[in-house]
Amino acid sequence: RVTWGSSEFFSSYHEEDAASLPETLRSAELQRPALHTCTREAVREAFLAGACVDDLPSVESPRARDTALATLDLVCDHALGGALVCIADAKAYHQIFSAKDSNAPCVRSSDQGFMTDCLRGVHVSDARFHNVFREFTRHAHSDRWPEDHLDERARGRPKDGAFLLSTDGYRVQCSAKFLGLAPAA
């Protein structure tokens, strides 16, 4: 089964309750996310037909559709644990997360760039991507790469964060932490 949710699940602050708190300590009151569940085949058919299923957007571009289908296969066939994969135009990521304003949203690597470097130039449909993704999502007690990992750069690094993919199917950033995103109004 495949589950996704709407991004419109945040509510605004209750100012009267948070008036005495510094801005950095205020928490947003979150409503329950609108989650949808259906079969993998239903999502695949919707992508292929260009149709919209619940809040899952239709995908018009053949290239982006191929990336979405390859990502669906990646998550359903290779994830050994939880995973967050985002697909967007690379320009959109840079537009949102590359602002020079110190208060603007940004993305930081949780593993000092290990996963991003590891998947440089590797398409989401490639077996090399599948293998690395599988190991990244494999649960470990510490949620880190083992200290005896074959690749010394991975040793002890966190296995945490999202995979940001371009609509071309290549990674923009991996093991990504989102910082500074404001709740939707």
Side-chain angles (χ1 to χ4, degrees):
R1 303 201 63 81
V2 178
T3 304
W4 70 93
S6 169
S7 62
E8 302 297 325
F9 60 88
F10 293 103
S11 66
S12 61
Y13 295 113
H14 289 288
E15 290 300 324
E16 64 276 4
D17 296 336
S20 65
L21 292 175
E23 183 67 28
T24 56
L25 294 179
R26 292 186 187 176
S27 296
E29 179 182 303
L30 303 177
Q31 296 175 353
R32 294 181 66 89
L35 296 178
H36 307 278
T37 303
C38 68
T39 64
R40 174 185 186 174
E41 292 74 28
V43 173
R44 177 178 293 288
E45 290 303 315
F47 280 146
L48 291 172
C52 183
V53 176
D54 291 323
D55 288 337
L56 187 66
S58 63
V59 180
E60 307 285 326
S61 160
R63 181 187 67 224
R65 187 176 312 118
D66 290 346
T67 296
L69 290 169
T71 303
L72 179 65
D73 292 342
L74 173 75
V75 171
C76 291
D77 294 340
H78 302 286
L80 299 177
L84 173 60
V85 182
C86 304
I87 304 169
D89 287 322
K91 289 187 298 189
Y93 290 125
H94 294 294
Q95 181 180 358
I96 293 168
F97 296 116
S98 295
K100 302 296 182 224
D101 180 2
S102 62
N103 294 322
C106 63
V107 175
R108 297 287 183 255
S109 174
S110 68
D111 66 358
Q112 292 74 40
F114 168 69
M115 287 295 294
T116 300
D117 289 344
C118 196
L119 293 173
R120 182 180 319 274
V122 182
H123 194 268
V124 67
S125 64
D126 190 299
R128 293 173 295 168
F129 199 110
H130 301 165
N131 293 337
V132 172
F133 184 80
R134 186 179 308 110
E135 288 306 308
F136 182 83
T137 60
R138 182 183 307 275
H139 179 70
H141 179 69
S142 65
D143 284 333
R144 293 179 173 271
W145 292 95
E147 291 294 340
D148 61 349
H149 193 273
L150 291 175
D151 189 330
E152 290 181 19
R153 298 171 302 155
R155 293 178 182 171
R157 302 240 186 252
K159 290 176 153 188
D160 200 10
F163 284 72
L164 308 183
L165 302 180
S166 70
T167 53
D168 290 336
Y170 293 93
R171 64 92 184 115
V172 173
Q173 187 164 351
C174 302
S175 195
K177 294 273 193 166
F178 301 106
L179 303 173
L181 292 175

